[in-house]
Each structure stands twice: as C-alpha cells, then as structure tokens.
Amino acid sequence: MLSNIPTPLLALWKDRIGFSTGTTTVIFAAYIGGLLLALPFTGALADRYGTRRVLAPALVAGLVSCALFMTATHVLTLIVARLLTGVAVGAVLSAGTAAVSHVGGPGRRPQAVLAGSVAIGTGLAAGPLLGGSVSQYWTAPTVTVFVLEGVLLLTALAVVYTLHLPPVPVSREEPAPGWLRLPSVPRVNRRGLATSLLVYIPGMTGTSLLLALGPILLASLLHTGNRLVTGGIGFMMFGASTGVQFAIRNLPLGRILTIAGVVTGVAMLGTATAVRAHSLALLTLAAVAAGVGQGMGQYGGFSRLGTEVVPTRLAEANAALSAGGYLFAGILPILTGYLSDAAGIATSSTVFASLTGAAALAGALLVGTLRARTPVEEVREPTKVPAS
C-alpha cells in the first residue's frame, strides 16, 4: 500500500512545494530506485538467515518513510521517503512472498504463490484509493493518510514477530553464494525467468506510467483535479490486477504469460488513443486492461519461479524477477516526465505508451513462439521438471 498511497498526493505537493512534471516523475521513480537498492541483497539474506530478519527492518524503514512524508516541505525529503519505501517494498517482494511460500509448505506452493501475489495486488489497489479519498475529503491529508498507514505497518510488524515461520531447508547440492550480488536464479531456471520478464517488464512499466502521469493527464488533458478520481482509477487498475489472478490460476503458465503480453499491449495502445481523444472513459478502460495484463504477468512470473526454483533460492529468484520488472518501470516514467516538460504531456505519453505496448506485444509473440516449440505444456507441480 505504501508504494502507491503518495500517487494522488503528488499534485498536492507539486502545488505546495513547486516542482515540474519531470521532478514529479523523479519523486515517483525514487521508490523504484530504493527497491532496486534492496533487491540485490534482501533475497539472498532471507534465503540464508530467514525471512523474519529481513522483513522486520524493512517494515521499520516503511515507518520512517511515513514520518518523512508527514513532515515533507522539500523535494529532497519526498525523494528520501520514496527511497525508503522502495527498500521496504523490495524486501516484501523477495522475502515476503518467499515467507508465504514457506508457510504454505511443499504441498501447497501454488496456493501460497497465489496468496502472496494477490496480497501484493490488493495493497497496490488499496493504496491510491486511500490516498485519493483522504487527500480529497479529509483535513491535513498528507499527515492523516500516513498515520493510518503507520498503524497498518505496526500490525504487520507484530505479525512478523509472532508468526511461526518454518526454517528454510539447507541445500547440499550447491554452495551458499555471497549475499551481496545481483539477484539471479539457478542455471536450470534461467529460461523460465527470461520468459517471465518478457511479459512482466512491459506490464509493470505500463502501470507505473499510468500511476506517475495519471494526475497530470487528468488535470491537463481531461480537466479534472479530483484526487479521488486519480486514486479511483489506480484502485480499479490494481483491483483488476488482483481479481484476474483468481480467474486464471488454473490455466497453463505459458498461456497466462502470452495472454498477459497481448492485454498489456492493447492497454498501452488504448492509453495513447485516450490521450489523443481526451477521453476519460477510454483512459479508465485502458488502465483496467493494463491492470489485467500486469496481474497476469505478475502471477505467471511468480508462479513459474515458485513452482520450479528450489526453496533455498526462492527469495532471490523473486528478487530477480522484481528487479527486472521495476528497472524499466522506473526509467520510462522519468523519461516521459522530462519529455513532457519539453514537448507536452500528450506527445510524451503517446510516445512511451506506444513503445511499451509494442514491447508487450513482442514479448507475447516470443513467449507464444517458445510455447509452440515446446512439445508438452508446462507442468505446475513443484516436484517435476518443466518441459520447457
């Protein structure tokens, strides 16, 4: 939730502090910078020392970021708060999802992967809705909303310390690698990771683009400054991301990834069309479709890793998938923001939405081609070796 709560508030800070569209996207993407700082070691640390020792400090970092958001009067404060948010979320994406899989046990790994992925989607959806509603209708919104989030983080901290987490089994097949390195997967799982990233990267980039530029698009092109509308669109986008995961959980993973790429591509081309047509309805539909594509790509990617990677490398594998997706999800919105300052929001959003859509469709084509060359559909059981 903390990652998306500030999105509807960016317009408030923009007017209060005074900064450009490019700076707005830098503040937004600073979160991804913190996430990329955390992922290279949080996954490996969790695999070696246990998930609790990673999650507890991460939640404390989230609490500190809430305090910074509440007192921010300068751009630098907002950037530091977003960096700390990224560190916290990076730990949750790697160690948190692995902890859920460990609790589920070997016999329920597919259900545990679904639970972890749905929890991520639910938080992403609830964040902008909470931020938008509080900032639009409550007094002292930049304080109130982070007090509420701080309470939620404290409850999460209590859960981390009281929940029984089974010990991670020690692998005797491979030596324990160093804990500070780029996150990766065992050699046998590299093709699965690469296939997942072909779809996961455009999906994450598309939703990040809409989140970062949503308030500006609504204000400049569609002439609405209602922050609840901004938060509501974010809620529908990630609500669709969460809901679709229940609908697709029994489909083969290769098919899920292929469909995810196609849906993301259509969503991004729809976004470009909505911007040119100044259509709020079409932009909303495109955002929902983007959420569907992102949710399918997220579930497909985490499921593939969760059912194929050995438990001793699972947190690091989750970190590798997240790092790949969020890297581009941070770079492209920044480029779009600064191009907006130079050429206008309509031009920049059209260009980068079209590029993201083309990348998603290309990824779907590659994944579909690999599926067609595979004689047997991917298996879902964690104890078998996938045909791909």
Side-chain angles (χ1 to χ4, degrees):
M1 286 182 67
L2 182 59
S3 63
N4 283 350
I5 282 177
T7 303
L9 300 169
L10 287 173
L12 265 180
W13 283 312
K14 187 174 185 292
D15 294 337
R16 184 185 303 170
I17 300 174
F19 45 80
S20 67
T21 299
T23 303
T24 301
T25 56
V26 169
I27 295 170
F28 175 86
Y31 148 73
I32 297 175
L35 189 147
L36 294 174
L37 286 173
L39 288 173
F41 60 88
T42 54
L45 282 175
D47 284 334
R48 178 174 291 190
Y49 299 110
T51 53
R52 180 179 286 110
R53 295 185 179 181
V54 172
L55 291 174
L59 291 168
V60 172
L63 288 167
V64 174
S65 73
C66 285
L68 291 174
F69 279 126
M70 285 189 286
T71 58
T73 57
H74 194 275
V75 169
L76 183 59
T77 307
L78 293 173
I79 290 176
V80 173
R82 290 289 282 170
L83 280 169
L84 287 173
T85 299
V87 170
V89 174
V92 170
L93 288 174
S94 55
T97 50
V100 177
S101 293
H102 297 329
V103 170
R108 301 183 66 189
R109 289 181 77 179
Q111 295 95 319
V113 170
L114 176 64
S117 186
V118 164
I120 293 171
T122 302
L124 292 174
L129 184 63
L130 178 62
S133 58
V134 170
S135 66
Q136 185 66 34
Y137 299 112
W138 293 27
T139 58
T142 55
V143 174
T144 304
V145 70
F146 291 108
V147 169
L148 295 174
E149 171 63 15
V151 172
L152 293 175
L153 288 171
L154 287 172
T155 63
L157 195 60
V159 169
V160 166
Y161 274 110
T162 57
L163 183 67
H164 172 68
L165 293 173
V168 179
V170 178
S171 173
R172 299 178 181 178
E173 298 178 0
E174 53 182 314
W179 60 268
L180 182 57
R181 65 187 185 281
L182 291 176
S184 63
V185 295
R187 185 180 299 273
V188 70
N189 303 120
R190 288 178 183 173
R191 181 175 177 178
L193 175 63
T195 303
S196 301
L197 284 171
L198 287 172
V199 175
Y200 187 64
I201 287 174
M204 289 303 305
T205 302
T207 52
S208 292
L209 195 66
L210 286 165
L211 277 177
L213 297 178
I216 302 168
L217 282 172
L218 291 172
S220 61
L221 298 181
L222 305 177
H223 310 296
T224 176
N226 191 309
R227 290 180 290 277
L228 182 57
V229 173
T230 303
I233 291 177
F235 172 76
M236 287 189 288
M237 180 166 66
F238 287 109
S241 169
T242 303
V244 74
Q245 296 179 48
F246 290 99
I248 63 170
R249 64 185 186 276
N250 293 322
L251 292 178
L253 295 181
R255 189 176 304 168
I256 290 173
L257 291 170
T258 302
I259 297 172
V262 173
V263 173
T264 298
V266 171
M268 289 296 97
L269 296 179
T271 299
T273 305
V275 169
R276 307 310 300 185
H278 292 205
S279 172
L280 176 60
L282 186 54
L283 182 65
T284 302
L285 289 174
V288 171
V292 169
Q294 184 271 336
M296 294 181 72
Q298 174 181 291
Y299 176 76
F302 279 115
S303 291
R304 186 154 199 173
L305 298 179
T307 56
E308 296 177 8
V309 176
V310 295
T312 51
R313 296 288 299 278
L314 182 55
E316 184 184 1
N318 291 340
L321 178 66
S322 299
Y326 276 99
L327 176 63
F328 291 91
I331 293 174
L332 283 186
I334 291 177
L335 295 177
T336 308
Y338 279 105
L339 182 59
S340 297
D341 291 334
I345 185 68
T347 298
S348 63
S349 56
T350 300
V351 168
F352 284 102
S354 300
L355 289 174
T356 304
L361 293 173
L365 179 62
L366 288 172
V367 172
T369 302
L370 290 174
R371 284 183 60 226
R373 292 177 180 174
T374 303
V376 180
E377 185 62 79
E378 299 99 326
V379 295
R380 302 291 298 273
E381 293 81 1
T383 56
K384 298 179 181 180
V385 178
S388 63

mmCIF file of all heavy atoms in Angstrom, residues 15-54:
data_model
loop_
_atom_site.group_PDB
_atom_site.id
_atom_site.type_symbol
_atom_site.label_atom_id
_atom_site.label_comp_id
_atom_site.label_asym_id
_atom_site.label_seq_id
_atom_site.Cartn_x
_atom_site.Cartn_y
_atom_site.Cartn_z
ATOM 1 N N ASP A 15 1.878 21.566 -5.956
ATOM 2 C CA ASP A 15 1.403 22.936 -5.764
ATOM 3 C C ASP A 15 1.999 23.572 -4.516
ATOM 4 O O ASP A 15 2.310 24.765 -4.510
ATOM 5 C CB ASP A 15 -0.126 22.943 -5.657
ATOM 6 C CG ASP A 15 -0.804 22.533 -6.950
ATOM 7 O OD1 ASP A 15 -0.172 22.670 -8.013
ATOM 8 O OD2 ASP A 15 -1.957 22.057 -6.893
ATOM 9 N N ARG A 16 2.177 22.794 -3.468
ATOM 10 C CA ARG A 16 2.649 23.321 -2.192
ATOM 11 C C ARG A 16 4.136 23.659 -2.229
ATOM 12 O O ARG A 16 4.559 24.723 -1.740
ATOM 13 C CB ARG A 16 2.368 22.304 -1.085
ATOM 14 C CG ARG A 16 2.743 22.785 0.308
ATOM 15 C CD ARG A 16 2.542 21.668 1.324
ATOM 16 N NE ARG A 16 1.155 21.173 1.317
ATOM 17 C CZ ARG A 16 0.760 20.075 1.958
ATOM 18 N NH1 ARG A 16 1.642 19.350 2.629
ATOM 19 N NH2 ARG A 16 -0.499 19.711 1.920
ATOM 20 N N ILE A 17 4.935 22.760 -2.792
ATOM 21 C CA ILE A 17 6.391 22.942 -2.811
ATOM 22 C C ILE A 17 6.829 23.640 -4.093
ATOM 23 O O ILE A 17 7.700 24.508 -4.075
ATOM 24 C CB ILE A 17 7.104 21.579 -2.645
ATOM 25 C CG1 ILE A 17 6.700 20.942 -1.312
ATOM 26 C CG2 ILE A 17 8.619 21.740 -2.723
ATOM 27 C CD1 ILE A 17 7.246 19.535 -1.118
ATOM 28 N N GLY A 18 6.215 23.218 -5.232
ATOM 29 C CA GLY A 18 6.552 23.809 -6.518
ATOM 30 C C GLY A 18 7.652 23.053 -7.232
ATOM 31 O O GLY A 18 8.828 23.252 -6.933
ATOM 32 N N PHE A 19 7.280 22.170 -8.151
ATOM 33 C CA PHE A 19 8.264 21.467 -8.972
ATOM 34 C C PHE A 19 7.615 21.066 -10.291
ATOM 35 O O PHE A 19 6.387 21.118 -10.449
ATOM 36 C CB PHE A 19 8.869 20.253 -8.263
ATOM 37 C CG PHE A 19 7.880 19.358 -7.551
ATOM 38 C CD1 PHE A 19 7.128 18.425 -8.237
ATOM 39 C CD2 PHE A 19 7.720 19.447 -6.168
ATOM 40 C CE1 PHE A 19 6.238 17.600 -7.583
ATOM 41 C CE2 PHE A 19 6.828 18.626 -5.499
ATOM 42 C CZ PHE A 19 6.078 17.694 -6.210
ATOM 43 N N SER A 20 8.450 20.678 -11.260
ATOM 44 C CA SER A 20 7.994 20.420 -12.622
ATOM 45 C C SER A 20 7.441 19.004 -12.768
ATOM 46 O O SER A 20 7.521 18.175 -11.860
ATOM 47 C CB SER A 20 9.162 20.605 -13.596
ATOM 48 O OG SER A 20 10.145 19.602 -13.372
ATOM 49 N N THR A 21 6.913 18.721 -13.965
ATOM 50 C CA THR A 21 6.430 17.377 -14.271
ATOM 51 C C THR A 21 7.571 16.368 -14.235
ATOM 52 O O THR A 21 7.410 15.246 -13.736
ATOM 53 C CB THR A 21 5.766 17.358 -15.661
ATOM 54 O OG1 THR A 21 4.663 18.256 -15.658
ATOM 55 C CG2 THR A 21 5.276 15.965 -16.013
ATOM 56 N N GLY A 22 8.726 16.771 -14.755
ATOM 57 C CA GLY A 22 9.879 15.873 -14.706
ATOM 58 C C GLY A 22 10.266 15.521 -13.286
ATOM 59 O O GLY A 22 10.558 14.363 -12.979
ATOM 60 N N THR A 23 10.259 16.512 -12.400
ATOM 61 C CA THR A 23 10.568 16.249 -10.993
ATOM 62 C C THR A 23 9.522 15.350 -10.360
ATOM 63 O O THR A 23 9.838 14.505 -9.509
ATOM 64 C CB THR A 23 10.667 17.571 -10.215
ATOM 65 O OG1 THR A 23 11.666 18.409 -10.825
ATOM 66 C CG2 THR A 23 11.044 17.332 -8.760
ATOM 67 N N THR A 24 8.271 15.506 -10.760
ATOM 68 C CA THR A 24 7.212 14.636 -10.250
ATOM 69 C C THR A 24 7.520 13.175 -10.542
ATOM 70 O O THR A 24 7.372 12.302 -9.681
ATOM 71 C CB THR A 24 5.858 15.014 -10.879
ATOM 72 O OG1 THR A 24 5.559 16.376 -10.580
ATOM 73 C CG2 THR A 24 4.747 14.121 -10.356
ATOM 74 N N THR A 25 7.949 12.894 -11.770
ATOM 75 C CA THR A 25 8.261 11.503 -12.127
ATOM 76 C C THR A 25 9.523 11.011 -11.432
ATOM 77 O O THR A 25 9.657 9.827 -11.151
ATOM 78 C CB THR A 25 8.402 11.352 -13.652
ATOM 79 O OG1 THR A 25 9.392 12.273 -14.136
ATOM 80 C CG2 THR A 25 7.082 11.624 -14.349
ATOM 81 N N VAL A 26 10.467 11.923 -11.138
ATOM 82 C CA VAL A 26 11.658 11.529 -10.377
ATOM 83 C C VAL A 26 11.261 11.109 -8.968
ATOM 84 O O VAL A 26 11.746 10.094 -8.437
ATOM 85 C CB VAL A 26 12.692 12.681 -10.340
ATOM 86 C CG1 VAL A 26 13.791 12.370 -9.340
ATOM 87 C CG2 VAL A 26 13.289 12.900 -11.721
ATOM 88 N N ILE A 27 10.383 11.885 -8.335
ATOM 89 C CA ILE A 27 9.902 11.529 -6.992
ATOM 90 C C ILE A 27 9.199 10.175 -7.038
ATOM 91 O O ILE A 27 9.426 9.311 -6.183
ATOM 92 C CB ILE A 27 8.949 12.617 -6.451
ATOM 93 C CG1 ILE A 27 9.716 13.926 -6.242
ATOM 94 C CG2 ILE A 27 8.294 12.168 -5.148
ATOM 95 C CD1 ILE A 27 8.824 15.117 -5.945
ATOM 96 N N PHE A 28 8.361 9.983 -8.045
ATOM 97 C CA PHE A 28 7.663 8.709 -8.183
ATOM 98 C C PHE A 28 8.660 7.560 -8.347
ATOM 99 O O PHE A 28 8.555 6.523 -7.687
ATOM 100 C CB PHE A 28 6.722 8.759 -9.388
ATOM 101 C CG PHE A 28 6.052 7.441 -9.679
ATOM 102 C CD1 PHE A 28 4.882 7.097 -9.030
ATOM 103 C CD2 PHE A 28 6.591 6.555 -10.598
ATOM 104 C CE1 PHE A 28 4.259 5.885 -9.282
ATOM 105 C CE2 PHE A 28 5.976 5.341 -10.860
ATOM 106 C CZ PHE A 28 4.808 5.001 -10.198
ATOM 107 N N ALA A 29 9.654 7.740 -9.210
ATOM 108 C CA ALA A 29 10.587 6.666 -9.523
ATOM 109 C C ALA A 29 11.650 6.459 -8.448
ATOM 110 O O ALA A 29 12.332 5.432 -8.461
ATOM 111 C CB ALA A 29 11.274 6.939 -10.864
ATOM 112 N N ALA A 30 11.801 7.404 -7.517
ATOM 113 C CA ALA A 30 12.762 7.207 -6.431
ATOM 114 C C ALA A 30 12.413 5.960 -5.637
ATOM 115 O O ALA A 30 13.295 5.264 -5.113
ATOM 116 C CB ALA A 30 12.783 8.435 -5.519
ATOM 117 N N TYR A 31 11.134 5.672 -5.543
ATOM 118 C CA TYR A 31 10.687 4.423 -4.904
ATOM 119 C C TYR A 31 11.294 3.209 -5.588
ATOM 120 O O TYR A 31 11.767 2.271 -4.946
ATOM 121 C CB TYR A 31 9.153 4.382 -4.939
ATOM 122 C CG TYR A 31 8.551 3.022 -5.054
ATOM 123 C CD1 TYR A 31 8.550 2.146 -3.970
ATOM 124 C CD2 TYR A 31 7.963 2.598 -6.246
ATOM 125 C CE1 TYR A 31 7.991 0.883 -4.081
ATOM 126 C CE2 TYR A 31 7.401 1.352 -6.353
ATOM 127 C CZ TYR A 31 7.409 0.494 -5.278
ATOM 128 O OH TYR A 31 6.858 -0.749 -5.380
ATOM 129 N N ILE A 32 11.305 3.229 -6.909
ATOM 130 C CA ILE A 32 11.872 2.107 -7.652
ATOM 131 C C ILE A 32 13.384 2.063 -7.457
ATOM 132 O O ILE A 32 13.983 0.990 -7.407
ATOM 133 C CB ILE A 32 11.488 2.221 -9.131
ATOM 134 C CG1 ILE A 32 9.960 2.119 -9.262
ATOM 135 C CG2 ILE A 32 12.168 1.167 -9.979
ATOM 136 C CD1 ILE A 32 9.422 2.336 -10.653
ATOM 137 N N GLY A 33 14.006 3.232 -7.315
ATOM 138 C CA GLY A 33 15.433 3.242 -7.018
ATOM 139 C C GLY A 33 15.743 2.558 -5.696
ATOM 140 O O GLY A 33 16.686 1.768 -5.590
ATOM 141 N N GLY A 34 14.940 2.852 -4.664
ATOM 142 C CA GLY A 34 15.128 2.176 -3.388
ATOM 143 C C GLY A 34 14.880 0.688 -3.484
ATOM 144 O O GLY A 34 15.591 -0.125 -2.877
ATOM 145 N N LEU A 35 13.893 0.326 -4.269
ATOM 146 C CA LEU A 35 13.596 -1.088 -4.464
ATOM 147 C C LEU A 35 14.769 -1.807 -5.115
ATOM 148 O O LEU A 35 15.160 -2.907 -4.713
ATOM 149 C CB LEU A 35 12.333 -1.205 -5.320
ATOM 150 C CG LEU A 35 11.683 -2.569 -5.497
ATOM 151 C CD1 LEU A 35 10.176 -2.400 -5.615
ATOM 152 C CD2 LEU A 35 12.208 -3.240 -6.758
ATOM 153 N N LEU A 36 15.359 -1.178 -6.127
ATOM 154 C CA LEU A 36 16.493 -1.792 -6.812
ATOM 155 C C LEU A 36 17.744 -1.824 -5.932
ATOM 156 O O LEU A 36 18.615 -2.674 -6.129
ATOM 157 C CB LEU A 36 16.783 -1.044 -8.113
ATOM 158 C CG LEU A 36 15.683 -1.139 -9.186
ATOM 159 C CD1 LEU A 36 16.009 -0.254 -10.370
ATOM 160 C CD2 LEU A 36 15.518 -2.591 -9.640
ATOM 161 N N LEU A 37 17.834 -0.902 -4.960
ATOM 162 C CA LEU A 37 18.934 -0.972 -3.997
ATOM 163 C C LEU A 37 18.768 -2.153 -3.050
ATOM 164 O O LEU A 37 19.742 -2.777 -2.628
ATOM 165 C CB LEU A 37 19.006 0.324 -3.187
ATOM 166 C CG LEU A 37 19.552 1.571 -3.882
ATOM 167 C CD1 LEU A 37 19.399 2.787 -2.984
ATOM 168 C CD2 LEU A 37 21.018 1.371 -4.258
ATOM 169 N N ALA A 38 17.516 -2.458 -2.707
ATOM 170 C CA ALA A 38 17.252 -3.515 -1.727
ATOM 171 C C ALA A 38 17.313 -4.910 -2.332
ATOM 172 O O ALA A 38 17.801 -5.861 -1.698
ATOM 173 C CB ALA A 38 15.877 -3.291 -1.090
ATOM 174 N N LEU A 39 16.815 -5.060 -3.543
ATOM 175 C CA LEU A 39 16.671 -6.402 -4.123
ATOM 176 C C LEU A 39 17.985 -7.177 -4.265
ATOM 177 O O LEU A 39 17.982 -8.403 -4.107
ATOM 178 C CB LEU A 39 15.967 -6.305 -5.476
ATOM 179 C CG LEU A 39 14.476 -5.981 -5.409
ATOM 180 C CD1 LEU A 39 13.920 -5.739 -6.811
ATOM 181 C CD2 LEU A 39 13.712 -7.106 -4.728
ATOM 182 N N PRO A 40 19.138 -6.534 -4.561
ATOM 183 C CA PRO A 40 20.356 -7.325 -4.711
ATOM 184 C C PRO A 40 20.789 -8.084 -3.462
ATOM 185 O O PRO A 40 21.580 -9.015 -3.561
ATOM 186 C CB PRO A 40 21.414 -6.270 -5.100
ATOM 187 C CG PRO A 40 20.635 -5.203 -5.774
ATOM 188 C CD PRO A 40 19.342 -5.145 -5.010
ATOM 189 N N PHE A 41 20.315 -7.683 -2.276
ATOM 190 C CA PHE A 41 20.763 -8.423 -1.091
ATOM 191 C C PHE A 41 19.631 -8.946 -0.206
ATOM 192 O O PHE A 41 19.843 -9.887 0.556
ATOM 193 C CB PHE A 41 21.728 -7.571 -0.247
ATOM 194 C CG PHE A 41 21.159 -6.292 0.263
ATOM 195 C CD1 PHE A 41 20.483 -6.248 1.464
ATOM 196 C CD2 PHE A 41 21.312 -5.106 -0.449
ATOM 197 C CE1 PHE A 41 19.966 -5.053 1.948
ATOM 198 C CE2 PHE A 41 20.794 -3.907 0.022
ATOM 199 C CZ PHE A 41 20.120 -3.885 1.233
ATOM 200 N N THR A 42 18.427 -8.368 -0.292
ATOM 201 C CA THR A 42 17.377 -8.844 0.610
ATOM 202 C C THR A 42 16.969 -10.281 0.320
ATOM 203 O O THR A 42 16.718 -11.065 1.239
ATOM 204 C CB THR A 42 16.134 -7.937 0.526
ATOM 205 O OG1 THR A 42 15.707 -7.836 -0.844
ATOM 206 C CG2 THR A 42 16.429 -6.561 1.082
ATOM 207 N N GLY A 43 16.896 -10.644 -0.956
ATOM 208 C CA GLY A 43 16.535 -12.016 -1.286
ATOM 209 C C GLY A 43 17.554 -13.017 -0.797
ATOM 210 O O GLY A 43 17.215 -14.035 -0.172
ATOM 211 N N ALA A 44 18.839 -12.741 -1.062
ATOM 212 C CA ALA A 44 19.888 -13.653 -0.624
ATOM 213 C C ALA A 44 19.984 -13.713 0.900
ATOM 214 O O ALA A 44 20.207 -14.787 1.484
ATOM 215 C CB ALA A 44 21.225 -13.223 -1.228
ATOM 216 N N LEU A 45 19.833 -12.563 1.569
ATOM 217 C CA LEU A 45 19.853 -12.556 3.034
ATOM 218 C C LEU A 45 18.707 -13.374 3.610
ATOM 219 O O LEU A 45 18.882 -14.117 4.582
ATOM 220 C CB LEU A 45 19.775 -11.121 3.548
ATOM 221 C CG LEU A 45 21.059 -10.283 3.506
ATOM 222 C CD1 LEU A 45 20.763 -8.858 3.939
ATOM 223 C CD2 LEU A 45 22.140 -10.891 4.385
ATOM 224 N N ALA A 46 17.522 -13.239 3.026
ATOM 225 C CA ALA A 46 16.373 -14.001 3.515
ATOM 226 C C ALA A 46 16.576 -15.501 3.322
ATOM 227 O O ALA A 46 16.217 -16.304 4.190
ATOM 228 C CB ALA A 46 15.099 -13.541 2.802
ATOM 229 N N ASP A 47 17.160 -15.887 2.183
ATOM 230 C CA ASP A 47 17.404 -17.299 1.939
ATOM 231 C C ASP A 47 18.421 -17.865 2.917
ATOM 232 O O ASP A 47 18.355 -19.033 3.307
ATOM 233 C CB ASP A 47 17.906 -17.503 0.499
ATOM 234 C CG ASP A 47 16.782 -17.381 -0.526
ATOM 235 O OD1 ASP A 47 15.618 -17.639 -0.162
ATOM 236 O OD2 ASP A 47 17.069 -17.022 -1.685
ATOM 237 N N ARG A 48 19.371 -17.031 3.336
ATOM 238 C CA ARG A 48 20.444 -17.536 4.202
ATOM 239 C C ARG A 48 20.088 -17.441 5.688
ATOM 240 O O ARG A 48 20.353 -18.372 6.456
ATOM 241 C CB ARG A 48 21.740 -16.756 3.934
ATOM 242 C CG ARG A 48 22.897 -17.197 4.822
ATOM 243 C CD ARG A 48 24.204 -16.519 4.452
ATOM 244 N NE ARG A 48 24.700 -16.973 3.156
ATOM 245 C CZ ARG A 48 25.920 -16.681 2.702
ATOM 246 N NH1 ARG A 48 26.727 -15.923 3.406
ATOM 247 N NH2 ARG A 48 26.309 -17.122 1.533
ATOM 248 N N TYR A 49 19.474 -16.324 6.106
ATOM 249 C CA TYR A 49 19.273 -16.092 7.540
ATOM 250 C C TYR A 49 17.808 -16.144 7.966
ATOM 251 O O TYR A 49 17.514 -16.009 9.151
ATOM 252 C CB TYR A 49 19.865 -14.740 7.932
ATOM 253 C CG TYR A 49 21.352 -14.650 7.692
ATOM 254 C CD1 TYR A 49 21.866 -13.842 6.689
ATOM 255 C CD2 TYR A 49 22.238 -15.397 8.464
ATOM 256 C CE1 TYR A 49 23.235 -13.760 6.460
ATOM 257 C CE2 TYR A 49 23.605 -15.323 8.236
ATOM 258 C CZ TYR A 49 24.094 -14.507 7.232
ATOM 259 O OH TYR A 49 25.438 -14.437 7.008
ATOM 260 N N GLY A 50 16.893 -16.281 7.015
ATOM 261 C CA GLY A 50 15.480 -16.333 7.356
ATOM 262 C C GLY A 50 14.758 -15.054 6.987
ATOM 263 O O GLY A 50 15.330 -13.957 7.010
ATOM 264 N N THR A 51 13.488 -15.183 6.647
ATOM 265 C CA THR A 51 12.722 -14.036 6.163
ATOM 266 C C THR A 51 12.422 -13.012 7.255
ATOM 267 O O THR A 51 12.333 -11.817 6.978
ATOM 268 C CB THR A 51 11.408 -14.520 5.540
ATOM 269 O OG1 THR A 51 10.723 -15.360 6.476
ATOM 270 C CG2 THR A 51 11.666 -15.316 4.270
ATOM 271 N N ARG A 52 12.265 -13.459 8.501
ATOM 272 C CA ARG A 52 11.926 -12.519 9.578
ATOM 273 C C ARG A 52 13.014 -11.457 9.751
ATOM 274 O O ARG A 52 12.707 -10.281 10.012
ATOM 275 C CB ARG A 52 11.710 -13.286 10.884
ATOM 276 C CG ARG A 52 11.355 -12.378 12.067
ATOM 277 C CD ARG A 52 11.121 -13.146 13.355
ATOM 278 N NE ARG A 52 9.844 -13.854 13.340
ATOM 279 C CZ ARG A 52 9.704 -15.168 13.276
ATOM 280 N NH1 ARG A 52 10.779 -15.935 13.206
ATOM 281 N NH2 ARG A 52 8.515 -15.717 13.286
ATOM 282 N N ARG A 53 14.272 -11.850 9.629
ATOM 283 C CA ARG A 53 15.372 -10.903 9.840
ATOM 284 C C ARG A 53 15.467 -9.862 8.729
ATOM 285 O O ARG A 53 16.167 -8.850 8.881
ATOM 286 C CB ARG A 53 16.691 -11.670 9.953
ATOM 287 C CG ARG A 53 16.745 -12.570 11.188
ATOM 288 C CD ARG A 53 18.107 -13.211 11.331
ATOM 289 N NE ARG A 53 18.169 -14.057 12.523
ATOM 290 C CZ ARG A 53 19.249 -14.728 12.908
ATOM 291 N NH1 ARG A 53 20.364 -14.643 12.189
ATOM 292 N NH2 ARG A 53 19.223 -15.466 13.989
ATOM 293 N N VAL A 54 14.794 -10.103 7.632
ATOM 294 C CA VAL A 54 14.759 -9.121 6.549
ATOM 295 C C VAL A 54 13.490 -8.278 6.628
ATOM 296 O O VAL A 54 13.524 -7.060 6.433
ATOM 297 C CB VAL A 54 14.851 -9.829 5.181
ATOM 298 C CG1 VAL A 54 14.628 -8.849 4.042
ATOM 299 C CG2 VAL A 54 16.211 -10.505 5.024
#
